[in-house]
Amino acid sequence: MGHQDTITSLAVSPDGTTLLSNSADNTVKLWNIQPFAPANRLIRSLEGAPQSFEKNLHRAAWSADGQRVGAGSGDRTVVIWDVGTGLMGWKLPGHTGSVNDVTFSPTEPIIASASTDRKIIVGELV
């Protein structure tokens, strides 16, 4: 049920009902954090953003509308999933190093990522 390795980031959904956790076990998980939730709070486990041998602190983030989550990856990509289906929507290349952080624009379909390559990449999700 829980993660099998170090948890590298946590983020609460915009509506405050779901916790997003990213781990060095190569999974991103969604947890129900509402009062009186069932004992098994795991909603969904997402895969596709692997760690590298470096085991950096890869961070995950919510889109402003709470419909997508994104995470940095050790394979030099940004991975974005649809929260409702759990399906991977994008695997964005461009970095030459491990992607440590991602953030969504609060008003536009834009995501930014930061990497060990010392670059920030801004991209549109259309």
Side-chain angles (χ1 to χ4, degrees):
M1 177 172 88
H3 286 290
Q4 301 301 310
D5 205 337
T6 304
I7 296 170
T8 62
S9 75
L10 296 173
V12 176
S13 63
D15 68 3
T17 64
T18 308
L19 180 69
L20 173 66
S21 61
N22 194 4
S23 172
D25 67 5
N26 301 322
T27 65
V28 174
K29 295 183 185 275
L30 301 170
W31 305 91
N32 182 340
I33 58 170
Q34 297 178 81
F36 310 108
N40 178 5
R41 291 178 176 264
L42 180 64
I43 298 169
R44 178 171 281 126
S45 186
L46 308 170
E47 297 188 21
Q51 287 279 332
S52 67
F53 68 92
E54 300 168 305
K55 291 215 175 184
N56 289 359
L57 296 178
H58 298 285
R59 298 183 52 93
W62 288 92
S63 63
D65 62 8
Q67 294 181 15
R68 296 181 183 134
V69 294
S73 178
D75 67 0
R76 303 180 309 262
T77 64
V78 174
V79 183
I80 301 167
W81 297 270
D82 178 277
V83 171
T85 65
L87 296 175
M88 185 187 307
W90 289 273
K91 192 161 179 91
L92 306 173
H95 284 288
T96 58
S98 185
V99 180
N100 295 331
D101 201 3
V102 299
T103 189
F104 290 87
S105 165
T107 58
E108 302 295 330
I110 293 174
I111 191 164
S113 57
S115 168
T116 59
D117 63 12
R118 293 176 258 162
K119 295 179 184 172
I120 296 170
I121 295 179
V122 178
E124 293 184 48
L125 302 174
V126 289

